[in-house]
């Protein structure tokens, strides 16, 4: 099936590399973004939180164990301590020594290569508002004057509200595992342009209703070509994937 991009209002690519480079590289590292570029991706998602000294950096979990050679809670480590960790070796010797990047480093990469970034604001527990505000302000600064603003998203309504206060002009998406019955009121309350949901919680009818209400619709984490085809046919604007070959398999 072919998916024309002509006439689309949504400025973000249909295919977004999950956590930078999907499953092919250590998540949330520049090695992942490079892998995405190699596969032709011009859209990427990443998880951003705050170090102990309030630097915006990329990490999914609340602790550093799974994706680095460090130990402990991310919120307890300064950016200097985080930057010394090996965030690539766990994924294979070829990635050993890959650092945990700051949002600033990632912005430079995205701006240099024309990558549209979806920044998931992923606060450490108890730091929701502070993280939302700091990440949004930093994103507005880093992308100031850029033609293509990053999309801010979060599961945390508190983080999204704080992001809105700090950088009202940056577009926001509300992330949900299950689409709640009052999705429309929640999206309007949060002043979000888009809903980003687990694709398994979506039906054709729900997708049509969300689109008809004027919102953009994204789905995560879509790794099977047949699922991507079905979702795009339902009107989903972008799918987030670990399978970088998905673009070649089903894109026009
Ligand atoms: O952005 C959607 C997706 O990344 C949310 O799930 O756990 O991979 O951050 P997770
Ligand atoms: Ca994420």
């Amino acid at each position: 099936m072919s998916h024309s991009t002509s006439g689309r209002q949504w400025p973000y690519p249909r295919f977004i590399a999950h956590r930078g480079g999907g499953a092919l590289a250590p998540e949330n590292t520049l090695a992942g973004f490079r892998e995405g570029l190699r596969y032709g991706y011009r859209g990427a998602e990443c998880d951003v939180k705050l170090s102990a000294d309030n630097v915006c950096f990329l990490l999914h979990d609340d602790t550093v164990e799974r994706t680095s050679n460090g130990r402990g809670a991310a919120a307890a480590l300064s950016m200097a301590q985080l930057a010394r960790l090996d965030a690539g070796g766990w994924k294979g010797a070829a990635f050993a020594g890959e650092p945990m990047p700051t949002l600033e480093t990632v912005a430079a990469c995205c701006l240099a290569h024309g990558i549209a970034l979806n920044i998931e604001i992923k606060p450490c527990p108890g730091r929701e508002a502070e993280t939302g505000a700091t990440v949004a302000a930093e994103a507005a600064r880093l992308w100031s004057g850029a033609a293509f603003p990053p999309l801010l998203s979060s599961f945390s309504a508190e983080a999204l509200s704080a992001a809105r206060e700090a950088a009202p002009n940056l577009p926001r998406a509300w992330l949900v595992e299950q689409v709640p019955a009052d999705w429309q009121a929640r999206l309007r309350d949060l002043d979000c342009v888009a809903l980003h949901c687990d694709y398994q919680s979506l039906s054709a009818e729900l997708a049509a209703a969300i689109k008809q209400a004027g919102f953009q619709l994204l789905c995560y984490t879509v790794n099977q070509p047949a699922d991507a085809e079905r979702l795009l046919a339902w009107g989903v604007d972008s799918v987030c994937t670990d399978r970088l070959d998905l673009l070649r398999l089903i894109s026009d």
Side-chain angles (χ1 to χ4, degrees), residues 16 18-19 27-28 45-47 60-61 66 118-120 122 153-155 175-177 196-198 218-221 240 242:
I16 296 175
H18 186 221
R19 303 186 192 175
E27 64 188 56
N28 291 312
E45 182 262 4
C46 65
D47 304 294
H60 181 275
D61 299 357
R66 183 179 63 83
N118 171 203
I119 300 172
E120 183 188 339
K122 200 90 159 170
S153 61
S154 190
F155 287 102
L175 271 164
V176 291
E177 288 178 2
H196 192 171
C197 65
D198 185 327
L218 297 88
C219 284
Y220 69 88
T221 302
C240 203
D242 289 321

Side-chain angles (χ1 to χ4, degrees), residues 61-87:
D61 299 357
D62 291 333
T63 59
V64 298
E65 275 89 348
R66 183 179 63 83
T67 56
S68 85
N69 61 347
R71 293 182 64 78
L77 299 171
S78 69
M79 194 62 228
Q81 291 172 311
L82 291 162
R84 282 197 290 272
L85 299 179
D86 174 0

